[in-house]
Amino acid sequence: KKADTGKPRVALVMKSLANEFFKTMEDGAKAHHKKNSDKYELSTVGIKDELDVAQQIKLVESMIAQQVDAIVIAPADSMALVAVCKKALDAGITVVNIDNKFDAKTLTSRNVQIPFVGPDNRKGAQLAGDYLAKKLAQGDKVAIIEGAPNSFNGIQRKLGFEDAMNSAGIKIVSSQTGYWETDRANKVASANIIAEPELKAILCANDSMAIGALAAVKSAGKTDDILIVGFDNIAAVQRALKDGDILCTVDQHADQLAVFGIDYALEMLGKSGTPQDQETAVDLITAETIKRP
Amino acid sequence: MTDLQTDIAFSLCGITKSFPGVKALSDVTFDLKTGEVHALVGENGAGKSTLVKIIAGIQSADSGNMLIKGKSYAPPGRKDAENCGVRIVMQELNLVNNLTVAENIFLEKLPSRFGFVDYPKLNSAARRLTQQVGLSIDVNAKVSQLGVGQQQMVEIASGLSQKCDILILDEPTASLTDKEAQLLFAQIEKLKTNGVSIIYISHHIDEIMRISDTVTILRDGQLVSSHPTNQLNADQIVSKMVGRNLEHSTLRHNTETGPVVLRVEGLTRGRKVRNVSFQVHRGEILGIAGLMGSGRTETMRLIFGADKPDSGKVYLHNSSTPAHIKNPRHAVNNGIALLTEDRKEQGLLLPLSISKNISLAQLSKLCRFGLIRNSEEKQVAADFIDKLSVKSSSTEQAVGNLSGGNQQKVVIAKWLYKDSEIIIFDEPTRGIDVGAKFEIYQMLDNLTKKGKAIIVVSSDLKELMAISDRIAVMSDGKLTAEFNSNDWSAEKIAAAAFSEYIN
Amino acid sequence: MKKNASLPRWMTDYCGMAAVLVILLAIFGSSARNFFSPATFRMIASQIPDITILAVGMTLVLIIGGIDLSVGSVMALCGAVLGKSLVAWGVPLPLAIGACLLGGLVCGALNGLAVITWKLPAFIVTLGMLEIARGATFLVTDYRTIDTGTTLEFITETSFVGIPLPFVIAILIVALGQLVLSKSIFGRYLVAIGTNEEAVRLSGIDTRPIKVGVFALCGFLAGLAAVIQTARISSANPNVGVGWELQAIAAVVIGGTSLMGGRGSVIGSFFGVLIIAILSTGLDQIGAEEYVKRIITGSAIVAAVVLDYYRNRLSNNKN
Amino acid sequence: MKKNASLPRWMTDYCGMAAVLVILLAIFGSSARNFFSPATFRMIASQIPDITILAVGMTLVLIIGGIDLSVGSVMALCGAVLGKSLVAWGVPLPLAIGACLLGGLVCGALNGLAVITWKLPAFIVTLGMLEIARGATFLVTDYRTIDTGTTLEFITETSFVGIPLPFVIAILIVALGQLVLSKSIFGRYLVAIGTNEEAVRLSGIDTRPIKVGVFALCGFLAGLAAVIQTARISSANPNVGVGWELQAIAAVVIGGTSLMGGRGSVIGSFFGVLIIAILSTGLDQIGAEEYVKRIITGSAIVAAVVLDYYRNRLSNNKN
Ligand SMILES: Nc1ncnc2c1ncn2[C@@H]1O[C@H](COP(=O)(O)OP(=O)(O)OP(=O)(O)O)[C@@H](O)[C@H]1O
Ligand SMILES: Nc1ncnc2c1ncn2[C@@H]1O[C@H](COP(=O)(O)OP(=O)(O)OP(=O)(O)O)[C@@H](O)[C@H]1O
Ligand SMILES: [Mg+2]
Ligand SMILES: [Mg+2]
């Protein structure tokens, strides 16, 4: 069932193509493919935002229709995509899960096995939270700005932040969604700052929201009092990290995430047997780690 | 006929109705006999439409009561009135443009089977009705494709579509030509013999004299008199309406016309306007006569640039090069004004005030530093309200709340304020009362004295013969004849109007 | 002359859109791999039923001169109700589906009632409902996707002569919608209200129940779409349907329905849905970049209505 | 009598909304901590200028009976152009701002031109532009946030007697907008076109340049909003402004502008923006759950227009 060229065809099904993080992921995959163009063919597709589950199902179906050999998917919903991925498996397609882990219960209830290759978001968030905790004292007050409701990664990161704060005895006074957006986060952060004058830090579930929180802190004139934590290590926060405006962020190597998945899929194509999950690295990024070459 | 008591089909007593700023009706009382045509006359804004709307359940009275065949009657809505046997054809068109003629005629009672419209039945019933009123069009045509006159006839057909005991006709002939009016009178005659009572509103006194049995006269919302028609003559009716005697200075003998200011050559658009040529001089009134749908309105719209002609040229001020009038703005800039026949759809900004409607075409004159001077604007409006005796509560009253005739006066005021050189009036006196008509004739006369060139399109032949210097006649899109005041007669004009339809 | 006038009318009404479809198919057929495979068409048939059903409801609402911005949220809410009743509350399937449809009907009727009671613009009422229904969805689902397992799979797996049940339902609804619109008294009143509501009211027809009815119907259809949509993704996702209202409106307008009311066609809307579906499937299959997709989709929406303008001019000139 | 009629008119026009504001302030003042602090008002003043400016443009577009769904995307595109010119292309600041404003003007003018050339509904044209401008934004930014550093900070940091520059600009635009609308010929034409375009055309006024002008102005204001928005978050985000068009429309309609055209007020829109801003700030400050926020926001949007209905009835009865 190989394509005319004889090379395996891998489809990378993304959660969103209109977002920096996923763009980096896609670019990484493309760069990898360029280097290894003799080994496989790659097509990348994605939905316009992370909300349109039905559209992503369509994409998987359309990949099944095109009879690709492997699908590497960052599912927009950890349950809703399981059924269609099962269809792909039934059609003899290799499926690898990246970025957003499928719900374990759903997988077992449908009796499918799809390996997850990716970072542990909760662990990453905890790393950042622990680093922040060192700068704070017990009983200090912080706020969390969450990702979009129902987003698996958003929930994991929130949980990671909470783990760190709880173990350090720091109080979370507010936890509201910023929908991953800069502007929304800016407004929530501004409100937090006013509602809680002793606020010491804002933990944001991604860097776009950290940028919004930073703007809020600046306009409130509290740059020295409130620390900001982000996630993803995007290009736009590099300056803020260096200047210490943002305390730290977490790098889960977006450019490599898809590549790990593709590699794993290619590896699996040759083999049979029960695939295992594979965890990838998450690193804490601070002003110091940046300055290090 | 039995005794007098049972003869009364309907009576109303002490009807009073106020709107913000106006008392439209005060204490109106009269009886309607079975099988009579009861005419309701009065100046614009006298309250005629308001009164019949109350009878038809469209508006409710502030006080007073009504009786139908001795039983108390206070319809909360039009449907209830219809259930009591009262139907109305309203003054303003109320048709659904996107539906067919047949659907419009039977809108409230579409024949159906299992919730689905029974089209064969609907169309044959509609065809019968349109033939009765003399409307020779496809009942499957959309109403939006009809001219105003034809739409008026659809309204009439709709009014006749169901059986009723009392039929109200509010200015049904305002945009009909004589031919259609005659057919309507025949229908009215037939209904009368079937015992239907008819309330008939019109500004045409001759019609009233001809078809009505009783005339009730309203002035400023009050009942002035109610008499059998044969006890009155036309002059008496008019003087009771306006509350004074009108001097008749109707005929116009202004032979002093200047050079040609507008020359139309070979104007053509589809079948509706075919190779029309004519010219108008300074200080002259050119009347345009023709049957309904003969293309008069279309021709005027072409001259004004509201529609694009297929071919033909318009020359202005004796120039030998044709004027480039591509849109109404060019026309207005070239000193042409057009009073459209459909004031509601094309002439007025109904929710806006009188003053804003009058100033619309000439705002730059009211401006200083790019800002409109409101006091000046109101002053201008007040002057015109005075000059044209527009019945209104203030210059800031919404035009939509004025009576039909007064709305027409506002449109006229807008163009008078614009002060163009060539003014085209399409049915300028549609819905205007006798008194005001004479004022408008007077005004037209004054305009010619100022050297304006005027074209008047009218379905009222008598009116045209009274005010025009020349009359051009259109028939089925062609200009078939031109008459001077010394050689025209109603017969000749009618013959020319029919000429293209015969054969 | 009558025959002459009505035949081209019918043809020009849809042949413009059919032409667009053919062009799209030709473009993608030649540029996307395996585009002309039965799988592509099976996929489209399985994917458009929900949006088609929404578009039918939207067509009727637009025809009376209204708009319903809440269909996407209401669909999500109905799906949530369905999922929650099945999974958490253990309600039997027919009852759960009934609750789902009823939920849609109620949301729609509330829209309609607000519109007639306070004479509010439908735009703002349904914008409010968009937020409220989404909030209610979050409340019902606790922001989490509800896995409905295999309970609803029978819906997508039943098929008639190879045509999946949802597609059959959608086609039936389109046919029924068109029939009601063009032949029934209710349908005629919709057109009449959209053209000149005052005239209809003055004819002694109470327009209010008709308006409430249309909004309720639109909500009910959103409930039906929710059943199909939930079955298709085997789960009730609280974020589903965001932006679907605009997609439905775009399809309906491409299909020739006027946003000003008074003119429209359900079959046209179906063509509109097809055009958008094929465009988006095709762009996905050729693997176009997101920005390219956006620009092409936007241009295509405008181009389709521009085409309609020229088609109208053409057919008017012929007459 | 004339005086009597005009004084209450003026007062009732805005006092309904002022009452809503007072109620909101009272509720949040008693439930949110530190709500009545200067910081809250400074924050609101720093956050509403961009949406206020969008709302002014939207008001004018709605008054002519149009709509502009593209303002959010166009703002994002303008921001992207600004950020990219500053950071990647090293364009001097005034030029970059000029390019940003020009970009908005061009997008708006294109909307207007499409509307008049093909007589299309503004809804569908601007829906197309919504997609196209977003696509163009992705193209310009390559989907990435552009950090504008401190270049634009002077905009947010300049202030006059304690009032930040963006707020001053927004207030000026509101005042100017209201003046133009109620006193200038252009403004009068807008109202007239929204009331009965055909009558305006037949009064010898070419409505087409006016319509293009309004859309262009709305686009230009989106560009201006982009400058302020980019300065506020010190970066150009390609996903900014999603859904802002509906937010702006909601504010404008709450402010008493009719979606049918012909009636509206810029000052009213400003009140509408304030109501929505205070509602959302208040809900953020009390830390309400997301579903509560949604339900309250939706209900408040509808409630505000319902209130307007009763206010109108009240003031009509008084006359
Ligand atoms: N809805 C309304 N609001 C305010 N005033 C109104 C309203 N309807 C009618 N009027 C006023 O009531 C008066 C009577 O109007 P009506 O339409 O009954 O006059 P009419 O006799 O039919 O006149 P015409 O011959 O011009 O049709 C007029 O002064 C008019 O301005
Ligand atoms: N918009 C339109 N679409 C199709 N046909 C039209 C339209 N407007 C007018 N007509 C038709 O064109 C013909 C000429 O109409 P026009 O209004 O110019 O005639 P008219 O002489 O002014 O008569 P009327 O007394 O009806 O105003 C009529 O048969 C009319 O039905
Ligand atoms: Mg009248
Ligand atoms: Mg005419």
Side-chain angles (χ1 to χ4, degrees):
Chain A
K1 224 179 53 194
K2 300 269 139 98
D4 340 328
T5 50
K7 287 183 285 184
R9 288 166 60 207
V10 178
L12 177 60
V13 180
M14 305 286 282
K15 206 154 72 170
S16 159
L17 286 181
N19 171 298
E20 175 145 16
F21 178 72
F22 294 103
K23 184 66 191 162
T24 311
M25 216 155 121
E26 190 192 355
D27 286 352
K30 282 190 174 152
H32 180 261
H33 173 246
K34 218 172 181 181
K35 265 190 270 162
N36 300 287
S37 55
D38 52 324
K39 297 211 186 89
Y40 69 102
E41 273 182 56
L42 178 72
S43 53
T44 8
V45 289
I47 51 180
K48 66 177 185 179
D49 51 45
E50 288 149 74
L51 304 179
D52 204 345
V53 179
Q55 176 67 15
Q56 202 182 27
I57 291 178
K58 250 169 86 169
L59 291 178
V60 177
E61 281 170 354
S62 116
M63 289 305 142
I64 299 174
Q66 290 186 36
Q67 303 172 341
V68 297
D69 298 289
I71 292 175
V72 177
I73 182 170
D77 186 303
S78 52
M79 295 178 189
L81 268 296
V82 172
V84 72
C85 285
K86 183 168 194 279
K87 248 191 241 169
L89 287 171
D90 292 346
I93 298 171
T94 301
V95 180
V96 174
N97 173 204
I98 57 170
D99 180 56
N100 177 12
K101 199 172 173 192
F102 278 126
D103 183 60
K105 254 201 281 170
T106 315
L107 284 177
T108 29
S109 79
R110 292 185 181 250
N111 199 20
V112 282
Q113 282 174 322
I114 298 171
F116 176 73
V117 180
D120 185 338
N121 276 280
R122 186 167 180 167
K123 207 155 111 192
Q126 198 173 1
L127 274 180
D130 288 340
Y131 183 74
L132 170 70
K134 278 188 239 151
K135 313 265 169 191
L136 300 179
Q138 206 168 1
D140 277 350
K141 292 170 178 170
V142 299
I144 295 177
I145 301 182
E146 307 165 16
N150 191 42
S151 145
F152 176 81
N153 284 339
I155 294 169
Q156 291 298 308
R157 290 174 198 180
K158 178 190 168 185
L159 289 174
F161 287 146
E162 281 174 358
D163 291 345
M165 296 301 105
N166 290 341
S167 67
I170 294 166
K171 212 173 142 204
I172 298 165
V173 289
S174 156
S175 184
Q176 296 181 66
T177 173
Y179 281 94
W180 300 127
E181 278 175 32
T182 309
D183 189 74
R184 190 78 201 95
N186 177 255
K187 286 175 178 152
V188 172
S190 301
N192 285 337
I193 294 166
I194 291 167
E196 190 48 75
E198 282 111 58
L199 199 68
K200 286 284 187 280
I202 302 174
L203 298 101
C204 304
N206 77 355
D207 281 344
S208 292
M209 296 197 291
I211 291 173
L214 175 59
V217 169
K218 274 193 180 157
S219 87
K222 292 205 166 185
T223 347
D224 297 334
D225 308 332
I226 300 179
L227 299 172
I228 293 169
V229 173
F231 204 108
D232 283 349
N233 193 29
I234 65 173
V237 296
Q238 298 307 310
R239 179 184 57 92
L241 279 168
K242 267 185 224 141
D243 296 355
D245 287 343
I246 291 179
L247 177 69
C248 64
T249 187
V250 177
D251 195 343
Q252 45 173 339
H253 305 286
D255 56 338
Q256 289 304 307
L257 284 184
V259 174
F260 292 144
I262 292 169
D263 276 343
Y264 198 74
L266 290 174
E267 200 179 310
M268 274 171 61
L269 272 179
K271 288 189 217 155
S272 60
T274 319
Q276 292 297 309
D277 286 0
Q278 199 180 64
E279 198 180 310
T280 60
V282 284
D283 296 316
L284 182 71
I285 306 293
T286 63
E288 288 90 65
T289 58
I290 285 189
K291 278 171 200 148
R292 244 181 278 143
Chain B
M1 293 286 131
T2 50
D3 75 69
L4 261 166
Q5 279 313 83
T6 56
D7 223 354
I8 308 279
F10 171 84
S11 63
L12 47 81
C13 178
I15 297 289
T16 300
K17 172 85 183 174
S18 301
F19 292 108
V22 259
K23 193 149 196 188
L25 292 171
S26 54
D27 200 18
V28 175
T29 302
F30 72 78
D31 293 334
L32 176 67
K33 297 197 198 75
T34 307
E36 76 164 342
V37 175
H38 192 124
L40 208 53
V41 297
E43 285 182 294
N44 294 133
K48 308 177 293 291
S49 297
T50 307
L51 182 63
V52 293
K53 279 186 196 159
I54 289 171
I55 300 173
I58 293 164
Q59 283 176 348
S60 59
D62 296 342
S63 65
N65 47 26
M66 300 185 276
L67 297 171
I68 279 195
K69 296 195 183 106
K71 267 183 278 168
S72 156
Y73 165 76
R78 183 167 181 177
K79 187 121 215 161
D80 309 271
E82 282 173 359
N83 290 340
C84 296
V86 180
R87 293 184 68 82
I88 183 171
V89 175
M90 283 193 288
Q91 179 177 14
E92 303 296 338
L93 291 170
N94 275 294
L95 295 173
V96 180
N97 280 334
N98 283 353
L99 295 189
T100 66
V101 170
E103 285 168 340
N104 265 287
I105 292 176
F106 288 97
L107 190 60
E108 0 107 52
K109 271 214 174 99
L110 288 171
S112 67
R113 248 183 304 170
F114 315 117
F116 287 88
V117 181
D118 186 348
Y119 278 102
K121 199 168 155 193
L122 171 68
N123 287 345
S124 68
R127 226 164 274 136
R128 208 168 44 241
L129 268 167
T130 47
Q131 268 158 22
Q132 267 178 28
V133 298
L135 189 57
S136 53
I137 45 165
D138 180 7
V139 293
N140 271 315
K142 286 203 175 154
V143 160
S144 55
Q145 291 168 354
L146 308 183
V148 173
Q150 290 169 327
Q151 293 190 358
Q152 180 79 50
M153 292 171 71
V154 174
E155 286 269 13
I156 294 172
S158 166
L160 299 173
S161 67
Q162 310 285 330
K163 274 219 172 59
C164 62
D165 303 323
I166 297 169
L167 178 65
I168 302 166
L169 300 167
D170 192 352
E171 302 197 27
T173 54
S175 31
L176 300 191
T177 53
D178 211 37
K179 180 178 137 227
E180 288 82 24
Q182 297 306 330
L183 281 165
L184 175 66
F185 299 154
Q187 289 296 317
I188 289 176
E189 205 53 45
K190 206 152 93 195
L191 289 171
K192 245 174 93 167
T193 55
N194 292 341
V196 177
S197 318
I198 290 157
I199 299 179
Y200 188 89
I201 301 178
S202 176
H203 290 297
H204 298 284
I205 306 299
D206 50 335
E207 282 175 18
I208 304 285
M209 299 305 293
R210 208 185 116 185
I211 64 164
S212 72
D213 303 301
T214 312
V215 189
T216 291
I217 300 167
L218 290 177
R219 192 196 313 143
D220 290 337
Q222 279 166 334
L223 191 127
V224 180
S225 84
S226 191
H227 289 293
T229 312
N230 52 27
Q231 292 179 7
L232 295 167
N233 64 33
D235 288 343
Q236 285 169 317
I237 294 178
V238 171
S239 63
K240 276 178 197 279
M241 261 170 62
V242 298
R244 65 197 138 90
N245 284 324
L246 275 181
E247 70 276 23
H248 280 221
S249 59
T250 52
L251 278 177
R252 170 187 145 76
H253 292 292
N254 184 1
T255 43
E256 294 267 321
T257 54
V260 173
V261 282
L262 172 74
R263 189 155 61 85
V264 176
E265 229 181 65
L267 215 52
T268 300
R269 179 178 161 95
R271 251 197 73 82
K272 287 167 203 154
V273 181
R274 295 184 284 164
N275 198 19
V276 170
S277 309
F278 63 84
Q279 54 190 34
V280 194
H281 302 84
R282 238 176 110 82
E284 178 191 42
I285 298 181
L286 172 68
I288 309 269
L291 299 178
M292 204 174 73
S294 57
R296 297 163 300 172
T297 299
E298 281 282 327
T299 307
M300 299 307 133
R301 285 175 60 90
L302 292 181
I303 296 172
F304 192 60
D307 294 320
K308 288 201 174 57
D310 298 337
S311 63
K313 296 189 177 76
V314 173
Y315 298 89
L316 293 173
H317 304 293
N318 236 348
S319 143
S320 54
T321 47
H324 282 288
I325 300 174
K326 289 221 178 73
N327 58 43
R329 195 170 74 99
H330 291 155
V332 169
N333 289 348
N334 278 305
I336 307 177
L338 170 69
L339 253 98
T340 52
E341 79 184 319
D342 188 344
R343 55 175 175 253
K344 215 169 149 188
E345 297 287 328
Q346 299 171 351
L348 292 169
L349 307 170
L350 291 176
L352 299 193
S353 66
I354 298 175
S355 62
K356 285 178 182 165
N357 271 280
I358 293 178
S359 63
L360 182 66
Q362 186 73 317
L363 273 172
S364 52
K365 213 163 144 187
L366 291 169
C367 258
R368 197 167 40 193
F369 313 125
L371 298 183
I372 299 165
R373 285 176 295 174
N374 290 65
S375 54
E376 194 117 328
E377 189 178 28
K378 282 179 193 162
Q379 192 50 51
V380 167
D383 289 347
F384 276 106
I385 286 175
D386 209 40
K387 216 180 330 180
L388 301 178
S389 44
V390 180
K391 198 162 175 265
S392 61
S393 56
S394 84
T395 60
E396 298 314 292
Q397 188 177 2
V399 170
N401 289 342
L402 296 179
S403 79
N406 285 306
Q407 291 183 357
Q408 184 73 24
K409 291 181 188 172
V410 174
V411 187
I412 293 175
K414 172 170 85 178
W415 288 114
L416 289 183
Y417 184 51
K418 179 68 193 177
D419 200 28
S420 302
E421 287 308 302
I422 302 162
I423 312 179
I424 304 170
F425 291 86
D426 194 354
E427 311 279 359
T429 58
R430 187 175 142 228
I432 289 208
D433 68 52
V434 242
K437 256 184 206 166
F438 285 115
E439 285 164 25
I440 287 175
Y441 300 160
Q442 205 62 55
M443 185 200 76
L444 290 175
D445 200 42
N446 289 339
L447 287 174
T448 57
K449 287 202 183 104
K450 282 196 230 153
K452 312 273 181 203
I454 290 174
I455 301 175
V456 177
V457 175
S458 174
S459 297
D460 186 344
L461 197 50
K462 260 186 249 82
E463 167 177 292
L464 279 184
M465 295 188 353
I467 60 171
S468 312
D469 297 310
R470 280 186 302 132
I471 293 180
V473 187
M474 285 194 69
S475 182
D476 199 16
K478 284 188 179 165
L479 203 138
T480 49
E482 251 187 65
F483 300 96
N484 284 319
S485 56
N486 46 24
D487 63 0
W488 70 44
S489 72
E491 291 72 31
K492 279 194 207 166
I493 293 175
F498 275 108
S499 59
E500 283 293 316
Y501 296 98
I502 303 165
N503 67 48
Chain C
M1 199 204 127
K2 233 169 101 192
K3 272 242 172 94
N4 232 352
S6 74
L7 182 74
R9 175 77 211 295
W10 186 92
M11 297 220 339
T12 48
D13 262 14
Y14 301 119
C15 82
M17 279 177 282
V20 174
L21 274 181
V22 169
I23 294 172
L24 284 177
L25 289 175
I27 294 176
F28 291 123
S30 63
S31 57
R33 235 157 107 184
N34 294 331
F35 186 80
F36 279 125
S37 64
T40 303
F41 295 98
R42 217 178 312 119
M43 183 181 85
I44 291 177
S46 84
Q47 283 169 353
I48 58 170
D50 39 15
I51 186 82
T52 302
I53 292 172
L54 291 184
V56 172
M58 188 67 82
T59 308
L60 300 183
V61 171
L62 287 180
I63 281 176
I64 65 161
I67 194 164
D68 190 347
L69 297 178
S70 69
V71 286
S73 293
V74 169
M75 183 182 79
L77 177 58
C78 294
V81 168
L82 176 63
K84 194 79 176 181
S85 346
L86 282 176
V87 176
W89 305 328
V91 177
L93 184 64
L95 258 176
I97 291 183
C100 167
L101 297 177
L102 186 72
L105 189 82
V106 168
C107 289
L110 286 176
N111 280 335
L113 284 171
V115 166
I116 62 153
T117 315
W118 296 298
K119 299 183 185 60
L120 300 182
F123 194 100
I124 205 78
V125 169
T126 56
L127 183 60
M129 182 56 88
L130 179 155
E131 293 287 330
I132 295 173
R134 185 65 65 184
T137 310
F138 288 157
L139 179 62
V140 171
T141 59
D142 193 27
Y143 311 98
R144 280 170 229 283
T145 304
I146 300 167
D147 183 5
T148 55
T150 50
T151 340
L152 293 169
E153 269 180 9
F154 77 97
I155 294 176
T156 38
E157 276 160 16
T158 313
S159 68
F160 300 94
V161 282
I163 305 164
L165 177 63
F167 192 71
V168 174
I169 296 178
I171 292 292
L172 276 180
I173 296 220
V174 168
L176 209 69
Q178 181 67 33
L179 191 71
V180 165
L181 179 63
S182 57
K183 297 284 172 193
S184 79
I185 297 210
F186 181 69
R188 295 285 82 193
Y189 282 167
L190 298 187
V191 174
I193 290 175
T195 314
N196 187 347
E197 183 173 356
E198 187 61 9
V200 178
R201 207 176 58 80
L202 287 175
S203 308
I205 296 159
D206 192 349
T207 58
R208 289 168 310 166
I210 302 173
K211 290 172 85 174
V212 175
V214 169
F215 280 99
L217 183 61
C218 188
F220 174 83
L221 289 175
L224 184 59
V227 176
I228 291 177
Q229 143 80 26
T230 310
R232 178 149 63 84
I233 67 173
S234 303
S235 56
N237 180 306
N239 288 314
V240 83
V242 172
W244 283 36
E245 59 284 350
L246 291 183
Q247 217 176 313
I249 294 172
V252 172
V253 173
I254 287 176
T257 296
S258 160
L259 281 165
M260 299 290 114
R263 188 167 59 80
S265 139
V266 176
I267 294 182
S269 301
F270 180 59
F271 272 99
V273 169
L274 277 181
I275 289 176
I276 291 187
I278 289 180
L279 185 68
S280 107
T281 305
L283 287 172
D284 286 346
Q285 288 201 12
I286 61 171
E289 273 245 44
E290 179 65 18
Y291 80 88
V292 177
K293 281 188 201 167
R294 295 290 189 116
I295 294 177
I296 291 187
T297 308
S299 314
I301 290 173
V302 179
V305 282
V306 169
L307 210 103
D308 200 60
Y309 169 81
Y310 284 109
R311 199 208 67 208
N312 272 336
R313 279 232 313 207
L314 217 72
S315 70
N316 280 349
N317 278 358
K318 266 189 202 151
N319 282 4
Chain D
M1 200 204 126
K2 236 166 102 191
K3 270 241 173 94
N4 231 353
S6 76
L7 183 72
R9 175 75 212 296
W10 186 93
M11 297 218 341
T12 48
D13 261 14
Y14 302 119
C15 84
M17 280 177 281
V20 174
L21 274 181
V22 170
I23 295 171
L24 283 178
L25 289 175
I27 293 175
F28 290 122
S30 62
S31 58
R33 241 171 99 188
N34 300 326
F35 187 80
F36 279 124
S37 64
T40 303
F41 296 98
R42 216 178 314 118
M43 179 183 89
I44 291 176
S46 84
Q47 285 180 350
I48 60 170
D50 38 18
I51 185 83
T52 302
I53 292 171
L54 291 185
V56 172
M58 189 67 81
T59 309
L60 301 183
V61 171
L62 287 179
I63 282 176
I64 64 161
I67 194 165
D68 190 347
L69 298 178
S70 68
V71 285
S73 294
V74 169
M75 184 182 80
L77 176 58
C78 294
V81 168
L82 176 62
K84 194 78 176 183
S85 352
L86 283 176
V87 176
W89 305 328
V91 177
L93 185 63
L95 258 177
I97 292 184
C100 167
L101 298 177
L102 186 71
L105 189 81
V106 168
C107 289
L110 286 177
N111 279 336
L113 285 171
V115 166
I116 62 152
T117 314
W118 296 297
K119 300 185 182 61
L120 300 182
F123 194 99
I124 205 77
V125 169
T126 57
L127 182 61
M129 181 57 87
L130 179 155
E131 294 286 332
I132 295 173
R134 186 64 66 183
T137 310
F138 291 153
L139 179 62
V140 171
T141 58
D142 195 26
Y143 312 95
R144 283 168 220 281
T145 303
I146 300 170
D147 181 6
T148 55
T150 50
T151 341
L152 293 169
E153 268 179 8
F154 77 97
I155 294 176
T156 36
E157 277 163 14
T158 313
S159 69
F160 299 95
V161 282
I163 305 164
L165 177 62
F167 192 70
V168 173
I169 295 178
I171 292 293
L172 276 180
I173 298 236
V174 168
L176 210 69
Q178 182 67 33
L179 189 73
V180 165
L181 181 62
S182 58
K183 292 281 172 190
S184 77
I185 297 194
F186 182 69
R188 178 64 61 79
Y189 284 166
L190 298 187
V191 175
I193 289 175
T195 310
N196 185 347
E197 185 175 351
E198 184 62 5
V200 176
R201 193 177 76 93
L202 291 176
S203 298
I205 295 153
D206 194 347
T207 57
R208 290 166 310 164
I210 301 171
K211 290 172 85 175
V212 175
V214 168
F215 280 98
L217 183 60
C218 188
F220 175 83
L221 290 174
L224 184 58
V227 176
I228 291 177
Q229 144 77 29
T230 310
R232 176 153 63 84
I233 61 173
S234 303
S235 57
N237 183 313
N239 285 310
V240 81
V242 172
W244 283 35
E245 59 284 350
L246 292 183
Q247 217 177 312
I249 293 171
V252 172
V253 173
I254 288 176
T257 295
S258 161
L259 281 165
M260 299 290 113
R263 187 167 59 81
S265 137
V266 175
I267 294 181
S269 301
F270 181 60
F271 272 99
V273 168
L274 277 180
I275 289 176
I276 291 187
I278 289 180
L279 185 68
S280 110
T281 302
L283 288 172
D284 285 347
Q285 285 201 18
I286 61 174
E289 273 246 42
E290 181 62 19
Y291 80 88
V292 177
K293 281 188 199 171
R294 293 291 191 118
I295 293 177
I296 292 187
T297 308
S299 314
I301 289 174
V302 179
V305 282
V306 169
L307 210 105
D308 199 61
Y309 169 81
Y310 284 109
R311 198 208 66 208
N312 272 336
R313 280 230 315 207
L314 216 74
S315 68
N316 279 350
N317 279 356
K318 264 187 201 152
N319 282 6

